[in-house]
Amino acid sequence: MRAILFGPPGAGKGTQAKRLVDLYGIPQLSTGDMLREHVKNQSPLGLKVDAVMKSGGLVSDDIVIQMIEERTQRTDCKNGFLLDGFPRTITQGQALNAMLAAKGQQIDVVVGIDCPDDVVRDRAVFRRSCPQCGAIYHLQSLPPQVSDTCDRCGKIGLIHRPDDTLEAVNKRLNKFHGETAPLTSLYGAILKRVDGTKSPDDVTASIRSILDPLAASSS
Ligand code: AMP
């Protein structure tokens, strides 16, 4: 199953993707995570994209398209993948379609996680994540059991992403509405929408009601 999780920043794509990989046995391909890894390692690419990411801007299409092209060729993608944060522009969506078509493949489903801007802003400001295992928390609605400590791996020192400030989130929302939302025109009937304002468990249940039948038919 080749699926895209689509939605504004903070809609819960990352949280949901991490749950879904275990359920369906396909990897999460997050361009945001890949780019953050480059920034953390201060690779040449990381140094190049650091400032634009921190400000909430978009990294150039060529860079992310090449990343996804390479990543989807790895053997763990042979049964499919779950894209999270890619594609984000019409150019990226068209490149993805062409990349898959060249292999006789296609995207099976796009799950749009709907979330209004004011909810997105609240989530970003309160979001914390584990720098070691990537677990995601919200200081009010999904806090870690022990303050500043990851429930999953025990790492002390959760981080607030530099692009989760109000200023950067507003810029990311502008990018989403201006450049990413128009992508829905590429997907027609394979785009299914879920309400991203519900609890993480409820959102997972809604997504499963869409993906379970597809996973069953592709296995
Ligand atoms: P995310 O974790 O998906 O919110 O991504 C964090 C940041 O990485 C974004 O605000 C962009 O700066 C950059 N980024 C991630 N994915 C893409 C993409 N597909 N196209 C352009 N920039 C991206």
Side-chain angles (χ1 to χ4, degrees), residues 9-10 13 30-33 35-36 49 52-54 56-61 64 84-89 92 127 161 163 172:
K13 300 185 298 295
S30 160
T31 40
D33 284 350
L35 290 164
R36 275 186 290 279
V49 300
V52 72
M53 285 181 73
K54 281 203 176 89
L58 289 182
V59 169
S60 74
D61 288 331
V64 286
D84 156 17
F86 181 95
R88 255 180 163 97
T89 62
Q92 292 175 24
R127 176 158 62 179
R161 280 172 44 174
D163 59 349
R172 290 162 72 200

Side-chain angles (χ1 to χ4, degrees), residues 38 50 74 86 91 93 95 98 157 202 204:
H38 277 283
D50 191 15
R74 294 203 206 149
F86 181 95
T91 305
D202 286 348
T204 306

Side-chain angles (χ1 to χ4, degrees), residues 55-102:
S55 75
L58 289 182
V59 169
S60 74
D61 288 331
D62 295 354
I63 291 177
V64 286
I65 290 168
Q66 199 190 342
M67 278 179 149
I68 288 295
E69 194 149 19
E70 281 169 12
R71 183 64 186 85
T72 52
Q73 281 165 18
R74 294 203 206 149
T75 49
D76 64 342
C77 291
K78 69 178 190 312
N79 293 327
F81 47 73
L82 195 56
L83 286 166
D84 156 17
F86 181 95
R88 255 180 163 97
T89 62
I90 294 270
T91 305
Q92 292 175 24
Q94 288 169 338
L96 175 65
N97 284 348
M99 192 187 299
L100 293 174

Side-chain angles (χ1 to χ4, degrees), residues 199-217:
S199 72
D201 285 349
D202 286 348
V203 177
T204 306
S206 304
I207 297 176
R208 287 195 65 175
S209 71
I210 297 165
L211 298 188
D212 280 0
L214 287 170
S217 67

